[in-house]
């Protein structure tokens, strides 16, 4: 789930959300200090750097195969079914080492004689915990294994402005903790992604004193409904009214119901977007563009469930999610109006030159030019542009981050914020369950 400067939370991709609404793991499966596995990057090669402490590359059985000194780097790439390590020293020719492994563990080793926490650096970002590098097809996956309490200060700072009131930051911490623990899938190679596909995680640089305090002061607290963790989804801004989960996803959950939002301060509480005809032609290639959009079904809050798009080459039936994706809309709480194009006329051509004394045929030529009058014939009308008036940013289900901010400014504490957006959910410590 993502931090965006116009509206902090864009929300989960709609294609991923039905799976996220699956049955939650039982509470007794959560250990006192639960770990999460976060996919940081997936690429043909990965570049790491040792900071103030060396990095140790091992085979998963406790054996160290390589050690990268402080300040030096390591590039890993596939080499057949094994891994190839390229050591990037401060000077000299890089060394290549073939490792008979399909996956490797990388740990920061405590530096002798140095103080401070040992961190590892991947693609210019620093992380706590361990790193698993594994092959997946023709790419390498970098997966961060980290305890949830060390993971959360970065998530809170990545998902919400660190300058916001503590009540909002604490609400975000509890929601993000609950969401992360509910996504744990032991049979899968990782639990979460570091992007909007799960919740944004930018490493140590996204942490601040205020986000660490928000996590510390809510330590181990999660949202529970019945016997399990809730699906604590959240979004940037609802535009005044959140959505029932069952109206846009497959399942109506009792705690994800439509409530009044308090997101008036959001820069995307209300917005307008103009989409030109050439952009519409790209968005709806099958029908050559669009000159009409009819809403066939909406949710009780006014979000689009189904729409019919008509263009020069026919019409399309699209879900609200599909329409949002094609047009790049901030939300499906949107309405459409096409601008009537103005008719255009070509500039008239010059009249034939007239001699000082009219000779035979001159008047006939002028008359013919005037009769044809091509500049008076209108050109085919230009394709219309689309003007979209919308509200909110994201899917609209669960906690509105700008709404949490608004409630915090009204003096509500984080418990009241969470109870408002997750109706009927209880706040309990996972360590006591």
């Amino acid at each position: 789930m993502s931090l965006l400067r116009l509206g902090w939370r864009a929300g989960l991709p709609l294609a991923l959300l039905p799976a996220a609404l699956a049955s939650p793991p039982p509470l007794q499966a959560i250990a006192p200090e639960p770990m999460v596995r976060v996919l940081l990057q997936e690429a043909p090669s990965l570049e790491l750097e040792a900071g103030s402490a060396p990095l140790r590359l091992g085979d998963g059985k406790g054996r160290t195969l390589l050690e990268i000194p402080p300040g030096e780097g390591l590039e890993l790439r596939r080499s057949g079914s094994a891994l190839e390590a390229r050591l990037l020293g401060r000077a000299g020719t890089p060394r290549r080492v073939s490792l008979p492994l399909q996956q490797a563990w990388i740990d920061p080793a405590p530096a002798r004689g140095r103080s401070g926490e040992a961190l590892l650096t991947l693609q210019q970002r620093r992380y706590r915990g361990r790193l698993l590098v594994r092959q997946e097809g023709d790419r390498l996956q970098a997966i961060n294994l980290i305890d949830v309490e060390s993971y959360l200060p970065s998530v809170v700072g990545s998902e919400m402005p660190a300058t916001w009131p503590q009540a909002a930051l604490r609400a975000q911490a509890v929601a993000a903790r609950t969401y992360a623990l509910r996504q744990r899938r032991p049979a899968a190679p990782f639990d979460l992604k570091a992007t909007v596909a799960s919740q944004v995680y930018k490493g140590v640089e996204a942490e601040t004193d205020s986000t660490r305090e928000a996590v510390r002061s809510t330590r181990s607290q999660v949202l529970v409904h019945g016997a399990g963790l809730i699906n604590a989804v959240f979004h940037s801004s609802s535009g005044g009214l959140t959505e029932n989960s069952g109206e846009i996803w497959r399942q109506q959950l009792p705690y994800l119901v439509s409530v009044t939002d308090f997101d008036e301060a959001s820069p995307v509480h209300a917005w307008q977007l103009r989409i030109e005809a050439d952009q519409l032609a790209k968005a709806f290639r099958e029908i050559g563009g669009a000159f009409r959009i009819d809403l066939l079904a909406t949710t009780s809050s006014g979000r689009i469930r189904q729409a019919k798009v008509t263009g020069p080459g026919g019409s399309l039936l699209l879900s609200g999610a599909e329409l949002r994706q094609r047009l790049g809309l901030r939300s499906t709480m949107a309405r459409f109006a096409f601008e009537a194009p103005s008719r255009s006329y070509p500039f008239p051509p010059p009249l034939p030159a007239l001699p000082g004394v009219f000779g035979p045929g001159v008047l006939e030529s002028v008359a013919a030019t005037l009769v044809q009058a091509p500049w008076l014939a209108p050109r085919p009308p230009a394709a219309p542009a689309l003007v979209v008036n919308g509200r909110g940013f994201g899917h609209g289900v669960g906690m509105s981050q700008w709404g949490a901010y608004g409630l915090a400014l009204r003096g509500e504490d984080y418990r009241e914020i969470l109870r408002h957006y997750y109706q009927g959910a209880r706040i309990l410590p996972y360590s006591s369950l």
Side-chain angles (χ1 to χ4, degrees):
M1 305 192 218
S2 153
L3 179 150
L4 299 174
R5 288 295 171 186
L6 281 178
W8 299 103
R9 182 82 184 117
L12 284 173
L14 294 175
L16 299 178
L17 283 160
L21 292 171
S23 299
L27 289 174
Q28 58 267 27
I30 300 175
E33 278 294 340
M35 308 293 287
V36 291
R37 299 165 301 157
V38 188
L39 177 66
L40 301 180
Q41 190 178 6
E42 190 170 26
S45 65
L46 301 170
E47 290 187 10
L48 296 103
E49 183 181 333
S52 60
L55 292 179
R56 294 187 298 211
L57 187 148
D59 61 359
K61 297 181 179 179
R63 294 178 296 187
T64 299
L65 303 180
L66 285 174
E67 186 167 296
I68 299 91
E72 299 196 1
L74 170 71
E75 181 186 61
L76 289 173
R77 61 175 63 247
R78 291 180 69 252
S79 178
S81 60
L83 292 174
E84 181 183 271
R86 184 170 175 256
L87 300 177
L88 309 172
R90 290 191 179 95
T93 304
R95 285 195 301 125
R96 283 184 169 83
V97 179
S98 182
L99 303 172
L101 306 171
Q102 290 190 332
Q103 65 179 39
W105 286 94
I106 299 172
D107 299 88
R112 290 184 292 273
R114 297 188 184 218
S115 60
E117 185 178 9
L119 304 171
L120 57 87
T121 301
L122 173 69
Q123 303 296 120
Q124 310 302 313
R125 285 185 176 165
R126 295 180 298 153
Y127 298 93
R128 295 188 172 87
R130 308 180 69 197
L131 193 70
L132 171 64
V133 176
R134 65 183 297 272
Q135 295 189 34
E136 182 65 34
D138 61 350
R139 302 167 79 81
L140 297 179
Q141 292 179 332
I143 300 168
N144 187 197
L145 181 67
I146 184 171
D147 75 84
V148 72
E149 302 299 334
S150 298
Y151 160 73
L152 287 172
S154 174
V155 173
V156 174
S158 301
E159 284 284 359
M160 189 173 274
T163 56
W164 278 11
Q166 268 294 308
L169 297 176
R170 289 172 182 170
Q172 181 68 69
V174 175
R177 182 184 292 111
T178 307
Y179 179 85
L181 294 180
R182 195 178 189 276
Q183 299 306 305
R184 296 196 306 166
R185 302 288 185 267
F190 56 87
D191 306 312
L192 300 149
K193 294 184 178 181
T195 66
V196 294
S198 297
Q199 47 191 14
V200 182
Y201 170 53
K202 295 183 178 180
V204 174
E205 278 71 21
E207 298 179 10
T208 67
D209 289 342
S210 62
T211 67
R212 286 188 284 268
E213 171 60 20
V215 174
R216 185 205 62 77
S217 60
T218 63
R219 187 176 185 84
S220 89
Q221 293 181 16
V222 290
L223 290 154
V224 177
H225 192 277
L229 298 171
I230 75 166
N231 188 28
V233 292
F234 48 90
H235 60 282
S236 168
S237 171
S238 78
L241 193 64
T242 69
E243 187 58 89
N244 296 307
S245 65
E247 295 206 59
I248 58 172
W249 303 333
R250 290 182 298 189
Q251 187 179 3
Q252 177 58 57
L253 295 174
Y255 50 83
L256 293 179
V257 295
S258 179
V259 296
T260 301
D261 200 6
F262 297 86
D263 63 336
E264 295 87 352
S266 167
V268 287
H269 178 76
W271 48 267
Q272 187 176 86
L273 176 67
R274 180 185 171 88
I275 304 175
E276 299 297 340
D278 59 337
Q279 296 172 292
L280 293 173
K282 292 177 182 177
F284 306 111
R285 292 181 187 276
E286 310 98 309
I287 56 173
F291 52 74
R292 180 169 177 165
I293 298 178
D294 296 303
L295 304 188
L296 304 182
T298 59
T299 68
S300 56
S301 70
R303 290 174 171 83
I304 302 166
R305 297 187 70 174
Q306 188 178 53
K308 179 181 179 181
V309 182
T310 304
S315 62
L316 292 172
L317 288 179
L318 299 174
S319 69
E322 291 169 331
L323 187 62
R324 178 188 175 190
Q325 182 180 30
R326 289 200 186 207
L327 294 177
L329 305 180
R330 294 187 173 103
S331 76
T332 57
M333 189 180 281
R335 296 297 181 265
F336 308 98
F338 283 90
E339 287 190 345
S342 59
R343 293 181 176 273
S344 59
Y345 299 88
F347 193 80
L351 291 172
L354 299 178
V357 177
F358 292 165
V362 171
L363 293 177
E364 290 84 347
S365 173
V366 172
T369 301
L370 292 173
V371 169
Q372 293 174 10
W375 60 91
L376 297 179
R379 288 178 176 175
L386 174 64
V387 176
V388 187
N389 287 287
R391 301 178 74 86
F393 197 157
H395 48 67
V397 180
M399 186 178 74
S400 157
Q401 291 169 313
W402 278 99
Y405 172 78
L407 284 171
L409 293 182
R410 292 174 180 231
E412 302 289 353
D413 78 355
Y414 74 97
R415 297 175 186 85
E416 293 305 316
I417 294 172
L418 292 169
R419 290 179 185 129
H420 176 71
Y421 289 108
Y422 305 109
Q423 293 279 302
R426 295 172 294 148
I427 302 172
L428 297 174
Y430 63 68
S431 56
S432 65
L433 300 172

